[in-house]
């Protein structure tokens, strides 16, 4: 998981640190670490430029009170700016990049040798195997929660003609539907499930996270492009992982 040297792990945490900065130096330190965190997420440079603009305040060398008031205004601007990023860009390139990098998380968690001085043993990690969709959901939710603290599991949605259950709910417009292929599953079955979910979910942006455990998708690139263009009134994202070991 991405983090800066001082341990910032999510936008939610960054907002709290900005709000709680006790003085100008502490605020500037938080902004510095926040800048590093945003760069690690490979956010567009325009957000970094805007961060600098929002965080800027002019010190008054003759009045500590005036300097503090200006700093508090800058803190408020930065906090609002970060909240807008969370609210407005959940469905953007950042989330797709995070989902694309999910297997990096699994590789580092399960395939790297633990530190010899630690209590976690390699044999313990080898017992962790992904067997079905619920296993994928459990790990993916843990992976996403620090970045999207408002995420929730298995949220029911009333469609007007029935109820559907979202695997991971981010907000009213953005949901994640998880698929995990299994032995004996035909590609036709997977396609039928995806096409049905596209119609049933009311969210504007649907992210299909496909853990192709049995590698039934022969050409992931073509599959992705085909179904991302399937509907015009919704934004469809297809993320496919075909594991090496699990």
């Amino acid at each position: 998981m991405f983090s800066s040297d001082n341990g910032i792990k999510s936008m939610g945490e960054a907002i709290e640190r900005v709000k709680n900065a006790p003085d100008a130096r502490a605020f500037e330190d938080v902004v510095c670490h926040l800048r590093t965190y945003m760069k690690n997420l490979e956010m567009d440079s325009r957000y970094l430029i805007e961060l600098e603009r929002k965080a800027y305040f002019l010190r008054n060398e003759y009045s500590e009170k005036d300097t503090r008031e200006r700093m508090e205004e800058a803190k408020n601007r930065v906090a609002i700016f970060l909240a807008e990023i969370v609210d407005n860009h959940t469905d953007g390139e950042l989330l797709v990049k995070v989902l694309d990098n999910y297997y990096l998380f699994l590789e580092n968690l399960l395939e790297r040798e633990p530190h010899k001085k630690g209590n976690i043993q390699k044999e313990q990690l080898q017992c962790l195997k992904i067997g079905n969709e619920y296993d994928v959901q459990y790990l993916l939710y843990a992976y996403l929660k620090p970045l999207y603290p408002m995420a929730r599991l298995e949220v029911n949605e009333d469609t007007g003609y029935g109820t559907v259950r979202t695997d991971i709910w981010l907000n009213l417009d953005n949901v994640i539907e998880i698929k995990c292929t299994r032995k004996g599953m035909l590609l036709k079955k997977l396609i039928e499930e995806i096409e049905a979910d596209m119609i049933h979910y009311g969210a504007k942006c649907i992210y299909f996270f496909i853990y192709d455990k049995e590698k039934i998708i022969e050409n992931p690139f073509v599959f992705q492009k085909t179904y991302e263009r399937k509907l015009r009134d919704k934004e469809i994202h297809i993320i496919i992982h075909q594991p090496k070991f699990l």
Side-chain angles (χ1 to χ4, degrees), residues 83-98:
E84 289 174 348
I85 290 178
V86 173
D87 290 340
N88 298 332
H89 295 86
T90 299
D91 59 335
E93 294 181 2
L94 176 58
L95 179 55
V96 173
K97 184 181 293 292
V98 168

Side-chain angles (χ1 to χ4, degrees), residues 76-133:
N76 188 54
R77 290 195 301 269
V78 172
I80 293 174
F81 169 61
L82 296 179
E84 289 174 348
I85 290 178
V86 173
D87 290 340
N88 298 332
H89 295 86
T90 299
D91 59 335
E93 294 181 2
L94 176 58
L95 179 55
V96 173
K97 184 181 293 292
V98 168
L99 293 174
D100 279 339
N101 287 337
Y102 172 74
Y103 201 74
L104 294 177
F105 161 70
L106 289 186
E107 284 181 330
N108 282 276
L109 174 65
L110 304 177
E111 297 173 22
R112 289 183 62 190
E113 289 286 343
H115 197 286
K116 294 180 179 179
K117 294 183 180 180
N119 291 326
I120 298 174
Q121 302 298 315
K122 181 68 173 179
E123 293 75 17
Q124 294 172 305
L125 295 176
Q126 289 174 341
C127 294
L128 184 58
K129 299 291 183 181
I130 292 178
N132 57 35
E133 182 177 300

Side-chain angles (χ1 to χ4, degrees), residues 220-232:
F221 179 79
V222 173
F223 188 95
Q224 177 190 37
K225 295 305 177 185
T226 298
Y227 289 95
E228 285 188 339
R229 294 194 297 260
K230 196 73 174 178
L231 297 179
R232 293 183 178 180

